[in-house]
Amino acid sequence: MTLFESHRPGITKLLVLVLLSVFLMALDRAGSSWVKQLNSGIGSLTDGIARIVHAPAVWGANLSLFLESKTEQVKRIRALEEENLLLKGQMQQFFDLQKQLNELRKLLHGQSTEVPNVLLARLIAVNDNPEQRTFTINRGIRDGVKPGQPVIDGQGIVGQILRSSLTGAVVLKIDSRHYALSVAIGDTGFVGIVKGTDTRDTLTMSRIPERFNVKVGDLLTTSGLDGVFPQGYPVARVTQVQDERSQAFVNITARPVADLDRISQVLVLTDPPDAPPPPDSKAEQASVVSLPSQRLIESTQDIAPRAPDFLAPSFSAPPATQSQPGQEKPHAQ
């Protein structure tokens, strides 16, 4: 027995584990099918563990609803029925406005907008890591949930599907650090990138030109330019504007319109956003490409350059016109 025994792990074992992890990461990066299946299986296992951990909270909520008085339940049901009726009435007007908008876009050679399908999901677990504020929902690959799909609630954008398994999916919140989203600021016409921060419920956008006159209270909506989120969904509202007068730029701070700390149910947008699809045929593609140049040519023809006034007028004889049969030549008075 030696006096000083070494309890450090073997270098060989550590080296094998490092090489195995690098090999698995390379396969996952390359998109191997069996690695995706393994990842999905591990995700299903972790989702099951999250369900078990979150089960007492769900049971407590169900028990509180069960013990709630009948009078309060009737009041809640009536309030929900009234809200449902109001929403149905507003949706009728929405479909009429959508029809008119599609007709106007057709007149302007645009693409009609389709309302994406939504999938209702319930929250089953929460992770408050500042790097990635995420939560788990009870919908997965079997329900058509895929990584990258947008997630919303009744107020606005909540986040995006980070990864999905067979029975669940992990949603990344928009206030997570290093998260970025393309938005438009109110009616200013400015489109930029809003980012998450280290602070909860706080988003930032930097280097906005002063000429756009951004004010506190302006609504940030999705621009649709990122190809992920549909256009026009509420994201956040401006809470602070910081001037950089030396550089003629401003920085803004915004708060998400969705209550990210009190989420119980969300909606997953399972259809792609309303981006115009590529043309079906080569002829259609050629016509779409040549349309802007054709408009440019027409506009330049309308404003053809005129001769300066100081130049002498031309006295060249006008071209002789041939008279049509049955018509008499004009006589001089």
Side-chain angles (χ1 to χ4, degrees), residues 52-75:
I52 295 174
V53 173
H54 196 66
V58 176
W59 294 341
N62 294 335
L63 181 61
S64 62
L65 291 176
F66 179 77
L67 298 178
E68 191 177 13
S69 63
K70 186 176 181 180
T71 305
E72 294 179 355
Q73 292 180 359
V74 171
K75 289 182 179 179

PDB file of all heavy atoms in Angstrom, residues 52-75:
ATOM      1  N   ILE A  52     -42.997  13.610 -15.150  1.00  0.00           N
ATOM      2  CA  ILE A  52     -43.081  13.062 -13.799  1.00  0.00           C
ATOM      3  C   ILE A  52     -42.781  14.137 -12.758  1.00  0.00           C
ATOM      4  O   ILE A  52     -43.454  14.245 -11.728  1.00  0.00           O
ATOM      5  CB  ILE A  52     -42.113  11.871 -13.656  1.00  0.00           C
ATOM      6  CG1 ILE A  52     -42.559  10.719 -14.576  1.00  0.00           C
ATOM      7  CG2 ILE A  52     -42.042  11.395 -12.214  1.00  0.00           C
ATOM      8  CD1 ILE A  52     -41.598   9.559 -14.607  1.00  0.00           C
ATOM      9  N   VAL A  53     -41.763  14.965 -13.034  1.00  0.00           N
ATOM     10  CA  VAL A  53     -41.402  16.020 -12.087  1.00  0.00           C
ATOM     11  C   VAL A  53     -42.506  17.070 -11.996  1.00  0.00           C
ATOM     12  O   VAL A  53     -42.811  17.596 -10.915  1.00  0.00           O
ATOM     13  CB  VAL A  53     -40.063  16.659 -12.502  1.00  0.00           C
ATOM     14  CG1 VAL A  53     -39.743  17.868 -11.640  1.00  0.00           C
ATOM     15  CG2 VAL A  53     -38.943  15.630 -12.417  1.00  0.00           C
ATOM     16  N   HIS A  54     -43.127  17.376 -13.127  1.00  0.00           N
ATOM     17  CA  HIS A  54     -44.147  18.425 -13.166  1.00  0.00           C
ATOM     18  C   HIS A  54     -45.535  17.899 -12.768  1.00  0.00           C
ATOM     19  O   HIS A  54     -46.472  18.690 -12.629  1.00  0.00           O
ATOM     20  CB  HIS A  54     -44.216  19.021 -14.575  1.00  0.00           C
ATOM     21  CG  HIS A  54     -44.930  20.334 -14.647  1.00  0.00           C
ATOM     22  ND1 HIS A  54     -44.449  21.476 -14.050  1.00  0.00           N
ATOM     23  CD2 HIS A  54     -46.090  20.705 -15.249  1.00  0.00           C
ATOM     24  CE1 HIS A  54     -45.270  22.481 -14.277  1.00  0.00           C
ATOM     25  NE2 HIS A  54     -46.267  22.036 -15.001  1.00  0.00           N
ATOM     26  N   ALA A  55     -45.672  16.598 -12.597  1.00  0.00           N
ATOM     27  CA  ALA A  55     -46.980  16.002 -12.299  1.00  0.00           C
ATOM     28  C   ALA A  55     -47.599  16.530 -11.008  1.00  0.00           C
ATOM     29  O   ALA A  55     -48.807  16.812 -10.971  1.00  0.00           O
ATOM     30  CB  ALA A  55     -46.855  14.478 -12.267  1.00  0.00           C
ATOM     31  N   PRO A  56     -46.862  16.674  -9.885  1.00  0.00           N
ATOM     32  CA  PRO A  56     -47.510  17.203  -8.667  1.00  0.00           C
ATOM     33  C   PRO A  56     -48.139  18.575  -8.860  1.00  0.00           C
ATOM     34  O   PRO A  56     -49.224  18.843  -8.315  1.00  0.00           O
ATOM     35  CB  PRO A  56     -46.346  17.248  -7.662  1.00  0.00           C
ATOM     36  CG  PRO A  56     -45.399  16.203  -8.129  1.00  0.00           C
ATOM     37  CD  PRO A  56     -45.479  16.240  -9.625  1.00  0.00           C
ATOM     38  N   ALA A  57     -47.492  19.456  -9.629  1.00  0.00           N
ATOM     39  CA  ALA A  57     -48.084  20.776  -9.873  1.00  0.00           C
ATOM     40  C   ALA A  57     -49.376  20.658 -10.665  1.00  0.00           C
ATOM     41  O   ALA A  57     -50.358  21.373 -10.405  1.00  0.00           O
ATOM     42  CB  ALA A  57     -47.085  21.670 -10.598  1.00  0.00           C
ATOM     43  N   VAL A  58     -49.398  19.763 -11.648  1.00  0.00           N
ATOM     44  CA  VAL A  58     -50.618  19.556 -12.441  1.00  0.00           C
ATOM     45  C   VAL A  58     -51.726  18.989 -11.562  1.00  0.00           C
ATOM     46  O   VAL A  58     -52.893  19.404 -11.654  1.00  0.00           O
ATOM     47  CB  VAL A  58     -50.323  18.621 -13.623  1.00  0.00           C
ATOM     48  CG1 VAL A  58     -51.598  18.322 -14.403  1.00  0.00           C
ATOM     49  CG2 VAL A  58     -49.282  19.256 -14.550  1.00  0.00           C
ATOM     50  N   TRP A  59     -51.372  18.026 -10.710  1.00  0.00           N
ATOM     51  CA  TRP A  59     -52.390  17.460  -9.815  1.00  0.00           C
ATOM     52  C   TRP A  59     -52.934  18.513  -8.857  1.00  0.00           C
ATOM     53  O   TRP A  59     -54.131  18.543  -8.561  1.00  0.00           O
ATOM     54  CB  TRP A  59     -51.776  16.303  -9.024  1.00  0.00           C
ATOM     55  CG  TRP A  59     -51.394  15.139  -9.886  1.00  0.00           C
ATOM     56  CD1 TRP A  59     -51.852  14.879 -11.146  1.00  0.00           C
ATOM     57  CD2 TRP A  59     -50.462  14.105  -9.573  1.00  0.00           C
ATOM     58  NE1 TRP A  59     -51.254  13.740 -11.649  1.00  0.00           N
ATOM     59  CE2 TRP A  59     -50.407  13.234 -10.704  1.00  0.00           C
ATOM     60  CE3 TRP A  59     -49.661  13.805  -8.475  1.00  0.00           C
ATOM     61  CZ2 TRP A  59     -49.589  12.111 -10.736  1.00  0.00           C
ATOM     62  CZ3 TRP A  59     -48.847  12.684  -8.499  1.00  0.00           C
ATOM     63  CH2 TRP A  59     -48.814  11.841  -9.616  1.00  0.00           C
ATOM     64  N   GLY A  60     -52.060  19.393  -8.361  1.00  0.00           N
ATOM     65  CA  GLY A  60     -52.522  20.454  -7.472  1.00  0.00           C
ATOM     66  C   GLY A  60     -53.480  21.412  -8.166  1.00  0.00           C
ATOM     67  O   GLY A  60     -54.491  21.828  -7.582  1.00  0.00           O
ATOM     68  N   ALA A  61     -53.172  21.766  -9.423  1.00  0.00           N
ATOM     69  CA  ALA A  61     -54.068  22.656 -10.168  1.00  0.00           C
ATOM     70  C   ALA A  61     -55.413  21.982 -10.429  1.00  0.00           C
ATOM     71  O   ALA A  61     -56.479  22.619 -10.294  1.00  0.00           O
ATOM     72  CB  ALA A  61     -53.412  23.060 -11.483  1.00  0.00           C
ATOM     73  N   ASN A  62     -55.380  20.710 -10.784  1.00  0.00           N
ATOM     74  CA  ASN A  62     -56.637  19.996 -11.013  1.00  0.00           C
ATOM     75  C   ASN A  62     -57.451  19.863  -9.725  1.00  0.00           C
ATOM     76  O   ASN A  62     -58.688  19.957  -9.751  1.00  0.00           O
ATOM     77  CB  ASN A  62     -56.350  18.617 -11.589  1.00  0.00           C
ATOM     78  CG  ASN A  62     -55.746  18.690 -12.983  1.00  0.00           C
ATOM     79  OD1 ASN A  62     -55.942  19.662 -13.703  1.00  0.00           O
ATOM     80  ND2 ASN A  62     -54.996  17.659 -13.363  1.00  0.00           N
ATOM     81  N   LEU A  63     -56.765  19.659  -8.604  1.00  0.00           N
ATOM     82  CA  LEU A  63     -57.478  19.552  -7.329  1.00  0.00           C
ATOM     83  C   LEU A  63     -58.117  20.879  -6.952  1.00  0.00           C
ATOM     84  O   LEU A  63     -59.259  20.910  -6.434  1.00  0.00           O
ATOM     85  CB  LEU A  63     -56.507  19.103  -6.242  1.00  0.00           C
ATOM     86  CG  LEU A  63     -57.103  18.916  -4.832  1.00  0.00           C
ATOM     87  CD1 LEU A  63     -58.183  17.835  -4.851  1.00  0.00           C
ATOM     88  CD2 LEU A  63     -56.016  18.562  -3.824  1.00  0.00           C
ATOM     89  N   SER A  64     -57.427  22.001  -7.208  1.00  0.00           N
ATOM     90  CA  SER A  64     -58.013  23.311  -6.894  1.00  0.00           C
ATOM     91  C   SER A  64     -59.230  23.581  -7.766  1.00  0.00           C
ATOM     92  O   SER A  64     -60.224  24.169  -7.296  1.00  0.00           O
ATOM     93  CB  SER A  64     -56.963  24.405  -7.098  1.00  0.00           C
ATOM     94  OG  SER A  64     -56.551  24.452  -8.454  1.00  0.00           O
ATOM     95  N   LEU A  65     -59.195  23.145  -9.015  1.00  0.00           N
ATOM     96  CA  LEU A  65     -60.375  23.298  -9.869  1.00  0.00           C
ATOM     97  C   LEU A  65     -61.516  22.415  -9.398  1.00  0.00           C
ATOM     98  O   LEU A  65     -62.691  22.798  -9.480  1.00  0.00           O
ATOM     99  CB  LEU A  65     -60.011  22.970 -11.324  1.00  0.00           C
ATOM    100  CG  LEU A  65     -59.075  23.958 -12.031  1.00  0.00           C
ATOM    101  CD1 LEU A  65     -58.739  23.448 -13.435  1.00  0.00           C
ATOM    102  CD2 LEU A  65     -59.715  25.340 -12.120  1.00  0.00           C
ATOM    103  N   PHE A  66     -61.199  21.233  -8.904  1.00  0.00           N
ATOM    104  CA  PHE A  66     -62.237  20.314  -8.426  1.00  0.00           C
ATOM    105  C   PHE A  66     -62.905  20.844  -7.166  1.00  0.00           C
ATOM    106  O   PHE A  66     -64.129  20.687  -6.976  1.00  0.00           O
ATOM    107  CB  PHE A  66     -61.626  18.937  -8.168  1.00  0.00           C
ATOM    108  CG  PHE A  66     -62.603  17.932  -7.642  1.00  0.00           C
ATOM    109  CD1 PHE A  66     -63.526  17.330  -8.490  1.00  0.00           C
ATOM    110  CD2 PHE A  66     -62.609  17.594  -6.289  1.00  0.00           C
ATOM    111  CE1 PHE A  66     -64.437  16.407  -8.006  1.00  0.00           C
ATOM    112  CE2 PHE A  66     -63.520  16.672  -5.794  1.00  0.00           C
ATOM    113  CZ  PHE A  66     -64.435  16.071  -6.662  1.00  0.00           C
ATOM    114  N   LEU A  67     -62.130  21.479  -6.285  1.00  0.00           N
ATOM    115  CA  LEU A  67     -62.675  22.007  -5.046  1.00  0.00           C
ATOM    116  C   LEU A  67     -63.316  23.382  -5.218  1.00  0.00           C
ATOM    117  O   LEU A  67     -63.869  23.913  -4.249  1.00  0.00           O
ATOM    118  CB  LEU A  67     -61.570  22.087  -3.993  1.00  0.00           C
ATOM    119  CG  LEU A  67     -60.937  20.735  -3.593  1.00  0.00           C
ATOM    120  CD1 LEU A  67     -59.819  20.952  -2.587  1.00  0.00           C
ATOM    121  CD2 LEU A  67     -61.990  19.789  -3.026  1.00  0.00           C
ATOM    122  N   GLU A  68     -63.218  23.946  -6.386  1.00  0.00           N
ATOM    123  CA  GLU A  68     -63.816  25.253  -6.619  1.00  0.00           C
ATOM    124  C   GLU A  68     -65.336  25.161  -6.531  1.00  0.00           C
ATOM    125  O   GLU A  68     -65.942  24.155  -6.942  1.00  0.00           O
ATOM    126  CB  GLU A  68     -63.398  25.773  -7.992  1.00  0.00           C
ATOM    127  CG  GLU A  68     -63.741  27.232  -8.233  1.00  0.00           C
ATOM    128  CD  GLU A  68     -63.229  27.685  -9.589  1.00  0.00           C
ATOM    129  OE1 GLU A  68     -62.845  26.821 -10.387  1.00  0.00           O
ATOM    130  OE2 GLU A  68     -63.220  28.892  -9.843  1.00  0.00           O
ATOM    131  N   SER A  69     -65.958  26.198  -6.023  1.00  0.00           N
ATOM    132  CA  SER A  69     -67.401  26.170  -5.837  1.00  0.00           C
ATOM    133  C   SER A  69     -68.121  26.144  -7.185  1.00  0.00           C
ATOM    134  O   SER A  69     -67.598  26.611  -8.193  1.00  0.00           O
ATOM    135  CB  SER A  69     -67.852  27.387  -5.020  1.00  0.00           C
ATOM    136  OG  SER A  69     -67.575  28.582  -5.726  1.00  0.00           O
ATOM    137  N   LYS A  70     -69.323  25.597  -7.157  1.00  0.00           N
ATOM    138  CA  LYS A  70     -70.101  25.480  -8.388  1.00  0.00           C
ATOM    139  C   LYS A  70     -70.478  26.847  -8.943  1.00  0.00           C
ATOM    140  O   LYS A  70     -70.538  27.053 -10.163  1.00  0.00           O
ATOM    141  CB  LYS A  70     -71.339  24.644  -8.127  1.00  0.00           C
ATOM    142  CG  LYS A  70     -72.148  24.339  -9.378  1.00  0.00           C
ATOM    143  CD  LYS A  70     -73.326  23.422  -9.060  1.00  0.00           C
ATOM    144  CE  LYS A  70     -74.105  23.102 -10.333  1.00  0.00           C
ATOM    145  NZ  LYS A  70     -75.254  22.201 -10.053  1.00  0.00           N
ATOM    146  N   THR A  71     -70.755  27.817  -8.043  1.00  0.00           N
ATOM    147  CA  THR A  71     -71.118  29.158  -8.506  1.00  0.00           C
ATOM    148  C   THR A  71     -69.988  29.803  -9.284  1.00  0.00           C
ATOM    149  O   THR A  71     -70.202  30.396 -10.351  1.00  0.00           O
ATOM    150  CB  THR A  71     -71.484  30.034  -7.301  1.00  0.00           C
ATOM    151  OG1 THR A  71     -72.507  29.394  -6.543  1.00  0.00           O
ATOM    152  CG2 THR A  71     -71.963  31.397  -7.762  1.00  0.00           C
ATOM    153  N   GLU A  72     -68.754  29.675  -8.788  1.00  0.00           N
ATOM    154  CA  GLU A  72     -67.612  30.251  -9.497  1.00  0.00           C
ATOM    155  C   GLU A  72     -67.388  29.544 -10.832  1.00  0.00           C
ATOM    156  O   GLU A  72     -67.014  30.187 -11.820  1.00  0.00           O
ATOM    157  CB  GLU A  72     -66.373  30.144  -8.618  1.00  0.00           C
ATOM    158  CG  GLU A  72     -66.445  31.001  -7.358  1.00  0.00           C
ATOM    159  CD  GLU A  72     -65.208  30.845  -6.504  1.00  0.00           C
ATOM    160  OE1 GLU A  72     -64.358  29.988  -6.863  1.00  0.00           O
ATOM    161  OE2 GLU A  72     -65.083  31.564  -5.495  1.00  0.00           O
ATOM    162  N   GLN A  73     -67.624  28.246 -10.881  1.00  0.00           N
ATOM    163  CA  GLN A  73     -67.474  27.532 -12.149  1.00  0.00           C
ATOM    164  C   GLN A  73     -68.496  28.002 -13.174  1.00  0.00           C
ATOM    165  O   GLN A  73     -68.177  28.170 -14.354  1.00  0.00           O
ATOM    166  CB  GLN A  73     -67.615  26.027 -11.916  1.00  0.00           C
ATOM    167  CG  GLN A  73     -66.477  25.416 -11.117  1.00  0.00           C
ATOM    168  CD  GLN A  73     -66.667  23.926 -10.902  1.00  0.00           C
ATOM    169  OE1 GLN A  73     -67.663  23.350 -11.333  1.00  0.00           O
ATOM    170  NE2 GLN A  73     -65.704  23.299 -10.231  1.00  0.00           N
ATOM    171  N   VAL A  74     -69.731  28.230 -12.729  1.00  0.00           N
ATOM    172  CA  VAL A  74     -70.765  28.711 -13.650  1.00  0.00           C
ATOM    173  C   VAL A  74     -70.412  30.103 -14.159  1.00  0.00           C
ATOM    174  O   VAL A  74     -70.573  30.407 -15.352  1.00  0.00           O
ATOM    175  CB  VAL A  74     -72.141  28.712 -12.952  1.00  0.00           C
ATOM    176  CG1 VAL A  74     -73.182  29.411 -13.809  1.00  0.00           C
ATOM    177  CG2 VAL A  74     -72.586  27.285 -12.655  1.00  0.00           C
ATOM    178  N   LYS A  75     -69.902  30.974 -13.285  1.00  0.00           N
ATOM    179  CA  LYS A  75     -69.501  32.314 -13.706  1.00  0.00           C
ATOM    180  C   LYS A  75     -68.379  32.242 -14.739  1.00  0.00           C
ATOM    181  O   LYS A  75     -68.387  32.964 -15.740  1.00  0.00           O
ATOM    182  CB  LYS A  75     -69.048  33.139 -12.501  1.00  0.00           C
ATOM    183  CG  LYS A  75     -70.187  33.543 -11.569  1.00  0.00           C
ATOM    184  CD  LYS A  75     -69.650  34.388 -10.428  1.00  0.00           C
ATOM    185  CE  LYS A  75     -70.769  34.819  -9.493  1.00  0.00           C
ATOM    186  NZ  LYS A  75     -70.257  35.633  -8.348  1.00  0.00           N
TER     187      LYS A  75
END
